[in-house]
Amino acid sequence: MPDDDSRRMDMALSLAARGWGQTSPNPMVGAVIFAGEDLVGEGFHERFGSPHAEATALTQAGERARGATLYVNLEPCNHQGRNPPCTDAIIAAGIARVVIAILDPNPVAAGGAERLRAAGIIVDVGVSDQDARELNASFFNRLTNDRPWVTLKLAVSLDGAISSASQGRDLISGQESDAVVQRMRANSDAIAVGVNTALVDDPRLTARSDPPPRVAPTRVVFDRKARLSPNSVLARTASEIPTLLVTGSGTRLPGELERCGVEAVSAHDLGEALRKLMQRGIASILVEGGAGLAASFLAAGFVHRLVMFRAPIVLGDGALNAFSGVAAHEASLAPRFHLLQCRTLGDDVMSVYAPEPI
Protein backbone atom coordinates (compact mmCIF):
# COMPACT_ATOMS: atom_id res chain seq x y z
CA MET A 1 0.00 0.00 0.00
CA PRO A 2 2.72 2.63 0.65
CA ASP A 3 3.68 2.66 -3.05
CA ASP A 4 0.02 2.86 -4.03
CA ASP A 5 -0.52 5.67 -1.51
CA SER A 6 2.32 7.72 -2.98
CA ARG A 7 1.18 7.17 -6.55
CA ARG A 8 -2.40 8.07 -5.74
CA MET A 9 -1.37 11.14 -3.76
CA ASP A 10 0.67 12.25 -6.77
CA MET A 11 -2.57 12.07 -8.75
CA ALA A 12 -4.25 14.29 -6.16
CA LEU A 13 -1.37 16.77 -6.31
CA SER A 14 -1.51 16.88 -10.12
CA LEU A 15 -5.22 17.62 -9.93
CA ALA A 16 -4.64 20.30 -7.30
CA ALA A 17 -2.18 22.09 -9.60
CA ARG A 18 -4.97 22.58 -12.14
CA GLY A 19 -6.25 25.33 -9.85
CA TRP A 20 -3.02 27.29 -10.44
CA GLY A 21 -3.65 31.02 -10.33
CA GLN A 22 -7.36 30.59 -9.59
CA THR A 23 -7.80 29.72 -5.90
CA SER A 24 -5.87 32.36 -3.93
CA PRO A 25 -6.16 33.15 -1.06
CA ASN A 26 -7.33 29.56 -0.71
CA PRO A 27 -4.85 26.71 -1.29
CA MET A 28 -4.84 24.41 -4.32
CA VAL A 29 -6.41 21.09 -3.39
CA GLY A 30 -6.97 17.87 -5.33
CA ALA A 31 -8.70 14.65 -4.29
CA VAL A 32 -9.06 11.13 -5.70
CA ILE A 33 -11.18 8.23 -4.45
CA PHE A 34 -10.25 4.59 -4.94
CA ALA A 35 -12.52 1.62 -4.36
CA GLY A 36 -9.97 -1.15 -4.28
CA GLU A 37 -7.92 -0.68 -7.44
CA ASP A 38 -10.58 1.37 -9.22
CA LEU A 39 -10.54 5.15 -9.45
CA VAL A 40 -14.16 6.08 -8.79
CA GLY A 41 -13.98 9.83 -8.18
CA GLU A 42 -11.69 12.81 -8.59
CA GLY A 43 -11.89 16.56 -8.21
CA PHE A 44 -9.97 19.75 -7.56
CA HIS A 45 -10.69 23.21 -6.22
CA GLU A 46 -11.15 24.99 -9.53
CA ARG A 47 -11.59 28.57 -8.39
CA PHE A 48 -11.99 30.63 -5.22
CA GLY A 49 -15.56 30.11 -4.01
CA SER A 50 -16.16 26.97 -6.10
CA PRO A 51 -16.88 23.51 -4.55
CA HIS A 52 -13.99 21.91 -2.71
CA ALA A 53 -12.02 19.05 -4.25
CA GLU A 54 -13.39 16.43 -1.85
CA ALA A 55 -17.01 17.40 -2.55
CA THR A 56 -16.49 17.13 -6.30
CA ALA A 57 -14.78 13.75 -6.00
CA LEU A 58 -17.52 12.40 -3.70
CA THR A 59 -20.27 13.54 -6.07
CA GLN A 60 -18.53 11.77 -8.93
CA ALA A 61 -18.04 8.58 -6.90
CA GLY A 62 -21.62 8.40 -5.67
CA GLU A 63 -22.44 5.12 -3.93
CA ARG A 64 -19.03 3.71 -4.85
CA ALA A 65 -17.50 6.00 -2.21
CA ARG A 66 -18.86 3.72 0.53
CA GLY A 67 -15.94 1.74 1.96
CA ALA A 68 -13.46 3.49 -0.38
CA THR A 69 -10.25 5.44 0.30
CA LEU A 70 -9.98 9.19 -0.26
CA TYR A 71 -6.62 10.81 -1.03
CA VAL A 72 -6.28 14.58 -0.58
CA ASN A 73 -3.23 16.84 -0.42
CA LEU A 74 -4.59 19.01 2.43
CA GLU A 75 -6.56 18.09 5.54
CA PRO A 76 -10.31 18.27 4.76
CA CYS A 77 -11.88 21.41 6.18
CA ASN A 78 -13.90 21.18 9.37
CA HIS A 79 -15.77 24.48 9.28
CA GLN A 80 -18.58 26.26 7.50
CA GLY A 81 -17.23 28.85 5.09
CA ARG A 82 -18.27 29.54 1.51
CA ASN A 83 -18.68 25.76 1.32
CA PRO A 84 -19.97 23.31 3.95
CA PRO A 85 -17.44 21.23 5.95
CA CYS A 86 -15.82 18.54 3.81
CA THR A 87 -15.63 16.32 6.88
CA ASP A 88 -19.44 16.10 7.00
CA ALA A 89 -19.61 15.03 3.36
CA ILE A 90 -16.85 12.42 3.81
CA ILE A 91 -18.55 10.87 6.84
CA ALA A 92 -21.96 10.87 5.15
CA ALA A 93 -20.53 9.19 2.03
CA GLY A 94 -19.23 6.25 4.05
CA ILE A 95 -15.54 6.68 3.20
CA ALA A 96 -13.52 4.08 5.14
CA ARG A 97 -10.03 5.61 4.94
CA VAL A 98 -8.62 9.07 4.30
CA VAL A 99 -4.99 9.67 3.32
CA ILE A 100 -3.83 13.25 3.84
CA ALA A 101 -0.55 14.73 2.64
CA ILE A 102 -0.39 17.54 5.19
CA LEU A 103 -2.51 18.96 8.00
CA ASP A 104 -4.12 22.36 7.61
CA PRO A 105 -2.34 24.91 9.85
CA ASN A 106 -5.24 27.34 9.58
CA PRO A 107 -6.92 27.19 13.02
CA VAL A 108 -10.27 28.11 11.45
CA ALA A 109 -10.33 25.09 9.13
CA ALA A 110 -8.15 22.61 11.06
CA GLY A 111 -9.32 19.61 13.04
CA GLY A 112 -10.65 17.61 10.13
CA ALA A 113 -8.42 14.60 10.74
CA GLU A 114 -9.53 14.24 14.35
CA ARG A 115 -13.18 14.68 13.38
CA LEU A 116 -12.86 11.86 10.84
CA ARG A 117 -11.10 9.57 13.33
CA ALA A 118 -13.83 10.23 15.87
CA ALA A 119 -16.33 9.02 13.26
CA GLY A 120 -14.44 5.72 12.93
CA ILE A 121 -12.59 6.53 9.71
CA ILE A 122 -8.96 5.45 9.35
CA VAL A 123 -6.81 8.55 8.78
CA ASP A 124 -3.17 8.51 7.65
CA VAL A 125 -1.13 11.71 7.37
CA GLY A 126 2.22 12.52 5.78
CA VAL A 127 2.19 10.92 2.31
CA SER A 128 4.08 13.24 -0.12
CA ASP A 129 4.00 15.96 2.51
CA GLN A 130 7.00 17.87 1.11
CA ASP A 131 5.47 18.05 -2.36
CA ALA A 132 2.20 19.19 -0.84
CA ARG A 133 3.93 21.90 1.16
CA GLU A 134 5.84 23.13 -1.90
CA LEU A 135 2.69 23.36 -4.02
CA ASN A 136 0.98 25.68 -1.53
CA ALA A 137 4.09 27.28 -0.06
CA SER A 138 2.71 30.82 0.07
CA PHE A 139 -0.48 29.61 1.79
CA PHE A 140 1.49 27.91 4.58
CA ASN A 141 3.87 30.87 4.88
CA ARG A 142 0.97 33.31 5.25
CA LEU A 143 -0.20 31.54 8.37
CA THR A 144 3.18 31.64 10.12
CA ASN A 145 5.00 34.71 8.79
CA ASP A 146 4.31 38.44 8.70
CA ARG A 147 6.15 38.78 5.36
CA PRO A 148 5.16 37.37 1.96
CA TRP A 149 6.61 34.27 0.35
CA VAL A 150 9.33 35.56 -1.99
CA THR A 151 10.49 33.91 -5.21
CA LEU A 152 13.48 35.55 -6.88
CA LYS A 153 13.56 34.91 -10.63
CA LEU A 154 16.69 35.58 -12.67
CA ALA A 155 17.29 35.04 -16.39
CA VAL A 156 21.05 34.73 -16.90
CA SER A 157 23.63 33.90 -19.54
CA LEU A 158 26.15 31.09 -19.18
CA ASP A 159 28.53 33.59 -17.61
CA GLY A 160 25.90 34.70 -15.09
CA ALA A 161 24.94 38.04 -16.65
CA ILE A 162 21.45 39.53 -16.69
CA SER A 163 22.20 42.18 -19.31
CA SER A 164 24.93 43.01 -21.79
CA ALA A 165 27.56 45.72 -21.40
CA SER A 166 25.26 48.22 -23.15
CA GLN A 167 22.83 47.84 -20.20
CA GLY A 168 19.93 47.91 -22.65
CA ARG A 169 16.80 45.81 -22.65
CA ASP A 170 18.07 42.29 -23.36
CA LEU A 171 15.91 39.22 -23.96
CA ILE A 172 18.11 36.44 -22.63
CA SER A 173 15.94 33.35 -22.24
CA GLY A 174 13.77 31.69 -24.87
CA GLN A 175 10.04 31.31 -25.49
CA GLU A 176 9.69 28.14 -23.43
CA SER A 177 11.23 29.87 -20.42
CA ASP A 178 9.00 32.89 -20.91
CA ALA A 179 5.91 30.68 -20.85
CA VAL A 180 7.00 29.26 -17.48
CA VAL A 181 7.62 32.77 -16.14
CA GLN A 182 4.11 33.82 -17.19
CA ARG A 183 2.75 30.84 -15.28
CA MET A 184 4.81 31.81 -12.23
CA ARG A 185 3.38 35.32 -12.44
CA ALA A 186 -0.16 33.96 -12.63
CA ASN A 187 0.17 32.28 -9.23
CA SER A 188 1.77 35.30 -7.50
CA ASP A 189 -0.06 38.05 -5.66
CA ALA A 190 2.52 40.58 -6.84
CA ILE A 191 5.34 41.01 -9.37
CA ALA A 192 8.20 43.24 -8.24
CA VAL A 193 11.11 45.01 -9.91
CA GLY A 194 13.58 47.70 -8.95
CA VAL A 195 13.19 51.19 -10.32
CA ASN A 196 16.20 50.88 -12.63
CA THR A 197 14.61 47.88 -14.30
CA ALA A 198 11.34 49.79 -14.59
CA LEU A 199 13.12 52.77 -16.20
CA VAL A 200 15.24 50.75 -18.63
CA ASP A 201 12.81 48.01 -19.65
CA ASP A 202 9.49 49.89 -19.26
CA PRO A 203 7.76 46.55 -18.50
CA ARG A 204 4.04 45.89 -18.23
CA LEU A 205 4.50 43.18 -15.54
CA THR A 206 1.33 41.27 -16.37
CA ALA A 207 0.63 37.53 -16.34
CA ARG A 208 0.05 36.52 -19.94
CA SER A 209 -0.98 32.94 -19.13
CA ASP A 210 -3.74 30.66 -20.35
CA PRO A 211 -5.97 30.72 -18.44
CA PRO A 212 -5.28 34.18 -17.04
CA PRO A 213 -5.12 34.48 -13.25
CA ARG A 214 -8.37 35.06 -11.39
CA VAL A 215 -6.92 38.29 -10.01
CA ALA A 216 -4.19 40.18 -11.86
CA PRO A 217 -1.00 40.38 -9.77
CA THR A 218 -0.25 43.75 -8.21
CA ARG A 219 2.77 45.47 -9.79
CA VAL A 220 5.36 46.63 -7.23
CA VAL A 221 8.31 48.91 -7.98
CA PHE A 222 10.95 49.40 -5.30
CA ASP A 223 11.63 53.08 -5.88
CA ARG A 224 12.94 54.93 -2.81
CA LYS A 225 12.89 58.35 -4.46
CA ALA A 226 9.75 57.87 -6.60
CA ARG A 227 11.60 58.19 -9.91
CA LEU A 228 9.13 56.15 -11.97
CA SER A 229 8.07 58.11 -15.04
CA PRO A 230 4.36 59.01 -15.32
CA ASN A 231 4.75 58.16 -19.01
CA SER A 232 5.82 54.58 -18.23
CA VAL A 233 3.56 51.67 -19.10
CA LEU A 234 3.20 50.88 -15.41
CA ALA A 235 1.96 54.37 -14.57
CA ARG A 236 -0.31 54.64 -17.60
CA THR A 237 -2.04 51.36 -16.76
CA ALA A 238 -2.18 51.85 -12.97
CA SER A 239 -5.91 52.55 -13.10
CA GLU A 240 -6.41 49.08 -14.63
CA ILE A 241 -3.98 47.02 -12.53
CA PRO A 242 -2.93 47.97 -8.97
CA THR A 243 0.55 49.51 -9.04
CA LEU A 244 2.54 50.26 -5.90
CA LEU A 245 5.76 52.20 -5.39
CA VAL A 246 7.76 51.22 -2.34
CA THR A 247 9.38 54.50 -1.38
CA GLY A 248 11.65 55.76 1.36
CA SER A 249 9.94 56.94 4.53
CA GLY A 250 10.55 60.59 3.68
CA THR A 251 9.61 60.45 -0.02
CA ARG A 252 6.39 61.98 -1.33
CA LEU A 253 4.69 60.55 -4.39
CA PRO A 254 4.64 63.06 -7.27
CA GLY A 255 1.18 64.33 -8.16
CA GLU A 256 1.50 63.06 -11.72
CA LEU A 257 1.88 59.50 -10.47
CA GLU A 258 -0.97 59.90 -7.99
CA ARG A 259 -3.27 61.08 -10.79
CA CYS A 260 -2.35 57.97 -12.77
CA GLY A 261 -3.54 55.80 -9.89
CA VAL A 262 -0.12 54.77 -8.57
CA GLU A 263 -0.04 54.24 -4.80
CA ALA A 264 2.90 54.63 -2.44
CA VAL A 265 4.00 52.28 0.31
CA SER A 266 6.40 54.14 2.55
CA ALA A 267 8.99 52.12 4.47
CA HIS A 268 12.35 52.72 6.10
CA ASP A 269 13.72 49.28 5.11
CA LEU A 270 12.92 46.18 3.11
CA GLY A 271 11.52 44.25 6.05
CA GLU A 272 8.99 46.97 6.87
CA ALA A 273 8.04 47.21 3.19
CA LEU A 274 7.32 43.50 3.01
CA ARG A 275 5.26 43.56 6.19
CA LYS A 276 3.18 46.43 4.79
CA LEU A 277 2.65 44.54 1.54
CA MET A 278 1.52 41.50 3.53
CA GLN A 279 -0.98 43.70 5.37
CA ARG A 280 -2.41 44.63 1.96
CA GLY A 281 -3.11 40.96 1.25
CA ILE A 282 0.01 40.29 -0.82
CA ALA A 283 1.07 36.85 0.42
CA SER A 284 3.42 35.95 -2.45
CA ILE A 285 5.82 38.06 -4.51
CA LEU A 286 7.74 37.20 -7.65
CA VAL A 287 10.84 39.41 -7.70
CA GLU A 288 12.16 39.80 -11.25
CA GLY A 289 15.14 42.11 -10.86
CA GLY A 290 17.40 43.82 -11.26
CA ALA A 291 20.73 43.03 -9.69
CA GLY A 292 20.45 45.62 -6.93
CA LEU A 293 17.03 44.50 -5.79
CA ALA A 294 18.07 40.85 -5.96
CA ALA A 295 21.09 41.61 -3.80
CA SER A 296 18.93 43.41 -1.23
CA PHE A 297 16.53 40.47 -0.89
CA LEU A 298 19.36 37.95 -0.69
CA ALA A 299 21.34 39.98 1.84
CA ALA A 300 18.29 40.33 4.09
CA GLY A 301 17.54 36.61 3.91
CA PHE A 302 14.06 37.23 2.48
CA VAL A 303 14.31 34.88 -0.52
CA HIS A 304 12.42 31.61 -0.10
CA ARG A 305 13.02 30.26 -3.62
CA LEU A 306 15.61 31.24 -6.23
CA VAL A 307 14.62 30.34 -9.79
CA MET A 308 17.27 30.72 -12.48
CA PHE A 309 16.78 30.43 -16.22
CA ARG A 310 20.21 29.93 -17.79
CA ALA A 311 20.43 30.60 -21.53
CA PRO A 312 23.22 29.19 -23.78
CA ILE A 313 24.84 32.54 -24.53
CA VAL A 314 27.95 34.34 -23.25
CA LEU A 315 27.66 38.11 -22.80
CA GLY A 316 31.29 38.60 -21.88
CA ASP A 317 33.30 41.49 -20.46
CA GLY A 318 31.34 44.42 -19.06
CA ALA A 319 28.04 42.55 -18.80
CA LEU A 320 26.03 43.04 -15.61
CA ASN A 321 26.35 39.99 -13.37
CA ALA A 322 23.19 38.81 -11.65
CA PHE A 323 24.93 38.89 -8.26
CA SER A 324 27.10 41.96 -8.73
CA GLY A 325 25.45 43.67 -5.78
CA VAL A 326 25.99 40.80 -3.35
CA ALA A 327 28.73 41.30 -0.80
CA ALA A 328 31.88 39.21 -1.16
CA HIS A 329 32.16 36.03 0.91
CA GLU A 330 34.78 33.44 1.60
CA ALA A 331 33.70 30.15 0.04
CA SER A 332 33.26 28.52 3.43
CA LEU A 333 30.95 31.34 4.59
CA ALA A 334 29.08 31.95 1.33
CA PRO A 335 25.27 31.56 1.29
CA ARG A 336 24.42 28.04 0.16
CA PHE A 337 21.34 26.83 -1.68
CA HIS A 338 19.80 23.39 -2.19
CA LEU A 339 18.78 22.34 -5.70
CA LEU A 340 15.10 21.35 -5.65
CA GLN A 341 14.41 21.02 -9.35
CA CYS A 342 16.20 21.17 -12.68
CA ARG A 343 14.59 20.97 -16.12
CA THR A 344 15.35 21.93 -19.70
CA LEU A 345 13.18 24.44 -21.55
CA GLY A 346 14.27 24.37 -25.16
CA ASP A 347 17.96 25.29 -24.96
CA ASP A 348 17.56 26.93 -21.55
CA VAL A 349 18.01 25.25 -18.17
CA MET A 350 15.68 26.14 -15.32
CA SER A 351 16.96 25.52 -11.77
CA VAL A 352 14.98 26.00 -8.56
CA TYR A 353 16.90 26.47 -5.32
CA ALA A 354 15.95 26.77 -1.66
CA PRO A 355 18.24 28.67 0.73
CA GLU A 356 20.00 26.60 3.34
CA PRO A 357 18.61 27.47 6.79
CA ILE A 358 20.98 29.51 8.91
Side-chain angles (χ1 to χ4, degrees), residues 260-285:
C260 287
V262 176
E263 296 182 66
V265 175
S266 176
H268 72 274
D269 61 20
L270 185 57
E272 183 185 14
L274 291 175
R275 286 189 290 273
K276 286 189 173 182
L277 292 174
M278 187 75 148
Q279 290 165 8
R280 285 174 168 259
I282 295 174
S284 59
I285 299 179

Side-chain angles (χ1 to χ4, degrees), residues 146-342:
D146 62 354
R147 296 188 304 270
W149 179 267
V150 174
T151 300
L152 173 60
K153 186 275 296 184
L154 296 171
V156 301
S157 63
L158 288 177
D159 51 341
I162 59 173
S163 66
S164 61
S166 67
Q167 302 290 297
R169 182 176 183 177
D170 294 308
L171 297 178
I172 293 177
S173 50
Q175 292 183 349
E176 293 90 342
S177 294
D178 183 64
V180 173
V181 172
Q182 298 305 322
R183 180 172 165 80
M184 291 170 63
R185 288 180 173 186
N187 203 48
S188 301
D189 293 332
I191 306 166
V193 295
V195 64
N196 289 334
T197 297
L199 293 174
V200 172
D201 292 353
D202 194 23
R204 189 176 181 86
L205 298 184
T206 54
R208 299 180 293 279
S209 60
D210 183 21
R214 184 180 69 87
V215 178
T218 297
R219 287 95 59 92
V220 178
V221 180
F222 285 83
D223 184 5
R224 293 193 63 82
K225 297 182 179 179
R227 294 190 291 130
L228 184 70
S229 169
N231 297 317
S232 65
V233 173
L234 291 172
R236 288 187 285 108
T237 59
S239 61
E240 305 166 19
I241 303 173
T243 305
L244 305 177
L245 251 61
V246 176
T247 66
S249 55
T251 301
R252 294 189 61 182
L253 194 66
E256 295 168 295
L257 290 176
E258 284 186 335
R259 288 189 288 273
C260 287
V262 176
E263 296 182 66
V265 175
S266 176
H268 72 274
D269 61 20
L270 185 57
E272 183 185 14
L274 291 175
R275 286 189 290 273
K276 286 189 173 182
L277 292 174
M278 187 75 148
Q279 290 165 8
R280 285 174 168 259
I282 295 174
S284 59
I285 299 179
L286 178 63
V287 177
E288 296 204 15
L293 187 62
S296 296
F297 271 88
L298 288 167
F302 293 154
V303 174
H304 297 97
R305 293 293 180 268
L306 170 61
V307 182
M308 299 189 68
F309 296 85
R310 191 175 297 275
I313 58 174
V314 176
L315 295 179
D317 188 43
L320 178 62
N321 189 276
F323 303 104
S324 60
V326 177
H329 295 87
E330 295 293 334
S332 60
L333 301 176
R336 185 169 294 275
F337 292 79
H338 294 293
L339 179 65
L340 299 180
Q341 179 187 349
C342 188

